Amino acid sequence: MGERILTCTWLPARGSDGKPVGVVLTALDMTERRRAEEVIRRKEQRYRSLVEASAQVVWVAAPDGGVIDDAPEWRAITGQTPDDYAGGGWLSVVHPEDRPRIEAIWRECVIDNRVFETNYRVRTKSGTYRHFDVRAVPIWRGDAVVEWVGANTDVTGQREAEEMRGRLTEQLSAAALRTARLQQATSMLAEALTVSQVVQVITEVGRSAIGADYSAVALLDDDKLRLTIVTPSQPGAEHEGRTEGRGGSLDDIKVSDQTVLSVAVRESRPFLAEHPDSLRLQLGRDETGLFLQHTEERAWVGLPLLAAGAPIGALRFSFTRPREITEEERVFLEALAGQCALAVERALLFEREHKTAEELQRSLLPSDLPQLPGMVLAARYNPATRHVQVGGDWYDVFRLPDDRLAVAVGDVMGKGVLAAAGMGRVRNALRALALNDPRPAAVLAGLDRLFSATEDEEQFTTVAYAVIDPETGRGAFSNAGHPPPLLISPDTPARVSTREPGTPLGWPSQRQQTSFSIETGNTVVFYSDGLVENRRRGVDAGLEELVAVAADAPPEVVGDPERLVDFLVDRMLAGYEQVDDVTVLALHVPPKPA
């Protein structure tokens, strides 16, 4: 049967006379009970070891939530004395910000006898706070709760790791966002053609990326002595803080002045002032005193715009509150300034080319139209955008030696200086040919020979040319691939010419000419393809729409070429993005006075 554990009791046995007669031995087998107690002891040891290994602290509370037993492990962490713990318990060392919430939850759980599970911060004996997860359960005996047993787990390391992970994620997200904004800015700057458009992009990016309240871009003059602020292309986006330095206008700053922009240009380095005291320290109290009295700005960033290592201007952001610029933001701003400098340099080149081409075009297009007693003329030229004002569209009206009127409308493919120069060559050649032999077919045939001898095969140029007797309205017309003229009459519906337009200049073709007569009260309108064609409307649909628009023109508009050309342009471009230049030339024969 193996070893047994017995509990033995020896008692004396006495007779009736009270004298000992022997000994009574009682033996109780305790084997199973001792084994059961050993199992319980081992389980308690395992439980304690498990709690210690898991950094858990166990505590016990009364059914009403009060303290009943000491918790040495808890006091070892918090530094409480037995009296402290007995008086306030674990709640007394919970962080003040967490305590109201924890007390309310604990009170509700005790009243409802449901599991208490939450987390809070605990003040340790060193005075620091650590994060604990807690779970307490009611212990039932029958239908009543006799006590609460709770276990606290220190999760500070886990919380710190989560916070670190959150901070890293936030930093990575911020870096990714700044990279995306820089890429977006680069894309937007690549589309900016003028310096004003570049400034508008920088203004939008600065305000969205770093929360700047104001921004400005200033460019050096040719002498490198002064800075001039460039106004953004959109109204309402300009810099609102208009003074900087000692009473000087922000629109006109000397490089030698003590200003944010001047220092950035003069020293070719970023200038940072995170609050007004920093600005005073760097620029001088006397220099900034008046400025700070007249502005709501409280933090500043100045960045030089460098091209080939030399400054061409400066970029400035400012804030209406003190603002610390982080290292990541500084790197972003320096990269943005680099992109801005490239865009400004490119825009300056474009504007110089644009100015040259515009002057060339202005010299080639007629400054005014001939004034004739029997015919009224009006012309309009609308560039594709308000910035790209130079294209290959052109028109010309001039008197011939025999007093007849030569009228030409043409379109040279492309834009810029090359297109303007090509337009000039065609116009001048047409005039020379017309003075020798004004017949339309002969003039276009001469232009064909010129193109074949001098122009590139890829060059695409169309011309509509007519010779008209202003006294009678009779004339001749020839077309080299240009859109057909529009005919408007008070007695018949508006229509476009159905004659074959011919081929563009330089393409093999037998030039034809047709005779016509502009009757009293009628109008002939010449135009370029930009009036009828765009990305959403083909030529055929555009011609139909042009006829319908002309038919809707009121009689007083048809009788006034100035109003008519405006009416046609406005109605034909309404609702469409203009992607090409538009040229319109109208000739009207008014009724003769009674």
Side-chain angles (χ1 to χ4, degrees):
M1 294 180 60
E3 183 178 344
R4 308 295 295 178
I5 301 173
L6 301 175
T7 298
C8 298
T9 305
W10 287 268
L11 296 173
R14 299 181 185 276
S16 57
D17 56 0
K19 294 181 179 181
V21 294
V23 177
V24 178
L25 174 62
T26 304
L28 179 63
D29 190 341
M30 299 289 293
T31 304
E32 296 303 325
R33 180 177 176 179
R34 288 296 180 87
R35 289 176 178 173
E37 290 176 350
E38 180 65 22
V39 170
I40 292 175
R41 185 179 63 80
R42 286 197 300 270
K43 287 183 177 180
E44 289 179 350
Q45 288 178 342
R46 284 197 296 269
Y47 174 72
R48 284 185 177 276
S49 299
L50 180 61
V51 169
E52 292 175 358
S54 61
Q56 286 188 329
V57 178
V58 178
W59 48 269
V60 180
D64 62 357
V67 175
I68 55 176
D69 290 336
D70 189 17
E73 294 89 351
W74 179 259
R75 291 192 295 102
I77 295 172
T78 62
Q80 292 174 291
T81 65
D83 291 340
D84 293 337
Y85 183 75
W90 56 271
L91 277 170
S92 63
V93 289
V94 173
H95 195 288
E97 295 178 0
D98 300 340
R99 190 176 302 165
R101 172 179 63 88
I102 297 303
E103 285 182 333
I105 297 174
W106 175 237
R107 185 166 53 252
E108 292 173 0
C109 290
V110 169
I111 293 173
D112 298 337
N113 292 327
R114 54 186 174 84
V115 175
F116 171 68
E117 190 168 15
T118 185
N119 56 77
Y120 49 76
R121 290 166 290 176
V122 172
R123 187 185 67 246
T124 67
K125 59 185 177 183
S126 65
T128 61
Y129 284 89
R130 298 187 68 82
H131 293 269
F132 281 85
D133 284 348
V134 60
R135 178 180 172 85
V137 296
I139 305 301
W140 295 83
R141 184 175 295 168
D143 295 334
V145 173
V146 295
E147 64 181 8
W148 288 80
V149 176
N152 284 38
T153 304
D154 190 334
V155 294
T156 305
Q158 178 183 340
R159 287 298 181 90
E160 291 176 348
E162 290 175 355
E163 292 175 359
M164 178 63 74
R165 188 161 50 247
R167 287 194 296 269
L168 290 175
T169 301
E170 183 178 348
Q171 291 174 0
L172 290 174
S173 299
L177 181 59
R178 283 192 292 270
T179 300
R181 283 173 172 162
L182 185 59
Q183 291 174 341
Q184 180 185 22
T186 302
S187 177
M188 295 170 65
L189 288 171
E191 298 178 0
L193 295 178
T194 67
V195 176
S196 182
Q197 289 177 324
V198 171
V199 174
Q200 180 59 35
V201 171
I202 292 299
T203 299
E204 294 174 359
V205 172
R207 294 187 179 185
S208 63
I210 62 170
D213 297 295
Y214 305 125
S215 61
V217 174
L219 298 182
L220 279 171
D221 61 9
D222 293 337
D223 296 329
K224 310 297 184 184
L225 297 177
R226 307 188 74 87
L227 288 163
T228 302
I229 295 295
V230 180
T231 303
S233 59
Q234 294 185 7
E238 63 273 1
H239 187 279
E240 301 171 30
R242 303 309 299 167
T243 61
E244 180 176 347
R246 188 163 46 193
S249 170
L250 185 59
D251 292 329
D252 187 15
I253 307 167
K254 294 180 180 179
V255 175
S256 58
D257 289 342
Q258 284 295 92
T259 69
V260 173
L261 290 167
S262 300
V263 172
V265 169
R266 195 166 60 240
E267 301 183 8
S268 295
R269 64 169 180 83
F271 177 94
L272 303 177
E274 299 172 349
H275 46 74
D277 289 341
S278 175
L279 187 71
R280 293 188 186 97
L281 181 64
Q282 296 184 71
L283 298 185
R285 185 173 300 275
D286 294 340
E287 298 289 342
T288 58
L290 181 62
F291 167 62
L292 291 174
Q293 293 177 15
H294 294 84
T295 181
E296 58 181 347
E297 301 170 19
R298 290 297 176 266
W300 300 264
V301 178
L303 300 149
L305 301 180
L306 304 176
I312 60 173
L315 171 61
R316 180 184 190 270
F317 293 114
S318 57
F319 308 83
T320 57
R321 64 199 182 284
R323 173 72 153 80
E324 180 181 356
I325 301 298
T326 65
E327 182 63 26
E328 292 80 5
E329 288 175 329
R330 175 170 175 160
V331 171
F332 168 78
L333 289 173
E334 290 183 7
L336 180 63
Q339 293 297 321
C340 179
L342 293 175
V344 166
E345 188 177 29
R346 183 176 62 249
L348 291 173
L349 292 173
F350 168 81
E351 289 181 350
R352 282 196 288 269
E353 177 183 326
H354 161 58
K355 182 179 180 181
T356 301
E358 185 178 21
E359 292 175 351
L360 175 60
Q361 185 183 42
R362 189 181 295 114
S363 68
L364 295 174
L365 293 178
S367 57
D368 51 33
L369 298 175
Q371 301 297 318
L372 305 172
M375 185 173 291
V376 183
L377 296 91
R380 289 291 181 273
Y381 173 74
N382 272 27
T385 70
R386 59 177 178 169
H387 296 301
V388 184
Q389 297 179 358
V390 181
D393 283 20
W394 60 281
Y395 64 90
D396 198 8
V397 182
F398 57 95
R399 299 293 290 266
L400 295 169
D402 58 4
D403 287 335
R404 287 187 298 170
L405 196 66
V407 178
V409 177
D411 186 359
V412 178
M413 179 184 66
K415 296 186 183 300
V417 174
L418 293 178
M423 174 261 289
R425 289 194 298 272
V426 174
R427 174 183 179 273
N428 292 336
L430 184 144
R431 280 200 172 205
L433 291 169
L435 293 175
N436 181 56
D437 184 351
R439 292 176 303 155
V443 169
L444 294 190
L447 289 176
D448 282 334
R449 292 191 297 271
L450 174 68
F451 260 64
S452 298
T454 62
E455 301 295 331
D456 295 334
E457 294 181 358
E458 293 80 9
Q459 184 60 268
F460 189 92
T461 300
T462 62
V463 176
Y465 173 64
V467 176
I468 305 170
D469 185 344
E471 295 293 332
T472 63
R474 296 188 181 91
F477 172 74
S478 188
N479 192 352
H482 207 72
L486 172 68
L487 311 175
I488 304 176
S489 172
D491 303 323
T492 58
R495 64 193 186 278
V496 293
S497 174
T498 57
R499 293 188 177 275
E500 184 66 31
T503 59
L505 293 181
W507 294 28
S509 174
Q510 182 66 37
R511 297 301 175 186
Q512 305 292 329
Q513 72 180 41
T514 58
S515 300
F516 66 90
S517 177
I518 306 177
E519 304 296 334
T520 299
N522 289 2
T523 304
V524 177
V525 181
F526 300 92
Y527 52 92
S528 64
D529 58 357
L531 184 69
V532 295
E533 183 181 20
N534 55 47
R535 294 189 180 114
R536 294 167 47 202
R537 179 177 62 193
V539 175
D540 293 339
L543 292 175
E544 293 178 2
E545 189 171 341
L546 177 62
V547 170
V549 168
D552 288 341
E556 63 272 16
V557 171
V558 174
D560 185 348
E562 291 286 347
R563 297 176 63 184
L564 177 63
V565 292
D566 288 337
F567 179 85
L568 294 176
V569 171
D570 292 342
R571 291 285 295 273
M572 289 300 293
L573 298 184
Y576 295 101
E577 178 188 3
Q578 184 181 348
V579 296
D580 197 3
D581 299 339
V582 173
T583 302
V584 181
L585 175 65
L587 291 78
H588 175 69
V589 177
K592 297 186 182 301

